Amino acid sequence: MTSYADYLFLLSPPEAIKHEISRYKKASARLIGDYKSMDSPAHISLLHVERQKPFFANTTVGQMEKKLYIMPPVLLHVDGFRYFTHLHSKMTIYAHIRSTPAVEAWFTLLKKNLNIKKALIPHITVARDIPEADFNTLWPHFRHKKLVEPFWINELKIVQRETFGSFPKWAPYKTFQFRGTKSFENLVNGVEKLPEVTDELEQRSLFDNNYLYKINKR
């Protein structure tokens, strides 16, 4: 790519978590119709860098590589749902990531390695930037949901798109594996292998029987 480009740094959860969040997105669309982020795969956004010359990709991203490779994987937990309030009476509903000292320490190091200065609240968006009326329709169905699922993050992904393209779409650019072995305190709680996420995800009801999004067994 030789023109200006935008870059998005993100953490991508495993397929089972993506599948579960997708169920909530589709169930939400049944209630309020199409909305932003409805078709976006579940992810944790870290950094959005816009209108960069090729120098950024060739040099700046390359300088991050060694620092990211020596970071360890991190165990995260989806823990219920919360929301952000935006300007102009817009709201975003998201899956909350449980905060612990180990998780906070890991994200603090990640921010340092990516040179992120602003506050970062790790979360997985479900319904982004929706009008207040749609939020009022959806939130009663989310507020008491006790979705709690563990998942491991083993890599950081960077996607890119042309800044001035006619119909720009995000495309994979680079992936960094977290290969470090030095753990943060209580990061894995003594568990050496990744916890399995079972078909229990597919058995859980969503809002209610009228709006249940049914999943065929894989």
Side-chain angles (χ1 to χ4, degrees):
M1 182 176 291
T2 58
S3 60
Y4 287 94
D6 302 335
Y7 296 86
L8 179 63
F9 294 67
L10 58 88
L11 303 176
S12 182
E15 290 301 318
I17 298 296
K18 290 181 181 179
H19 178 70
E20 182 73 347
I21 297 300
S22 178
R23 295 176 64 207
Y24 281 93
K25 287 172 177 277
K26 292 175 180 179
S28 297
R30 289 173 178 263
L31 288 174
I32 65 172
D34 294 352
Y35 60 90
K36 293 179 182 179
S37 77
M38 182 179 68
D39 297 319
S40 176
H43 64 276
I44 301 173
S45 295
L46 301 172
L47 179 64
H48 187 192
V49 185
E50 298 178 292
R51 196 177 176 181
Q52 297 297 311
K53 294 181 179 181
F55 175 85
F56 175 83
N58 297 333
T59 303
T60 307
V61 171
Q63 292 173 348
M64 299 174 179
E65 186 169 0
K66 184 177 180 180
K67 294 179 180 179
L68 293 174
Y69 277 154
I70 63 176
M71 289 190 63
V74 64
L75 178 63
L76 303 179
H77 288 76
V78 169
D79 191 358
F81 297 94
R82 298 187 184 182
Y83 64 88
F84 296 124
T85 301
H86 307 296
L87 296 175
H88 310 298
S89 299
K90 296 293 185 71
M91 319 289 282
T92 290
I93 297 174
Y94 64 90
H96 171 64
I97 303 299
R98 183 185 299 169
S99 179
T100 68
V103 168
E104 291 178 5
W106 191 88
F107 274 101
T108 296
L109 179 59
L110 182 62
K111 286 177 59 180
K112 179 180 179 181
N113 289 339
L114 295 179
N115 197 29
I116 298 175
K117 302 299 184 182
K118 64 180 182 179
L120 176 64
I121 302 176
H123 66 280
I124 300 175
T125 297
V126 178
R128 178 169 63 87
D129 203 28
I130 58 175
E132 186 174 10
D134 289 342
F135 170 80
N136 290 337
T137 297
L138 288 180
W139 184 242
H141 299 286
F142 278 95
R143 64 185 305 171
H144 297 305
K145 288 297 173 186
K146 303 297 184 183
L147 175 65
V148 177
E149 295 293 344
F151 63 98
W152 283 86
I153 291 293
N154 300 294
E155 60 187 22
L156 180 147
K157 294 184 178 182
I158 306 175
V159 294
Q160 69 173 0
R161 66 182 180 188
E162 291 189 19
T163 301
F164 302 113
S166 299
F167 301 99
K169 292 184 178 181
W170 292 109
Y173 171 67
K174 196 159 189 175
T175 298
F176 296 106
Q177 300 289 330
F178 297 128
R179 298 175 179 173
T181 58
K182 182 179 179 181
S183 298
F184 292 98
E185 185 179 4
N186 298 323
L187 183 61
V188 294
N189 296 320
V191 178
E192 294 184 357
K193 66 177 182 178
L194 306 187
E196 295 183 358
V197 183
T198 68
D199 282 346
E200 180 184 354
L201 286 175
E202 297 193 2
Q203 305 300 324
R204 186 180 293 106
S205 297
L206 294 185
F207 297 151
D208 57 41
N209 291 333
N210 292 325
Y211 301 105
L212 178 64
Y213 181 75
K214 297 182 179 179
I215 305 295
N216 292 325
K217 280 291 183 183
R218 292 172 288 178

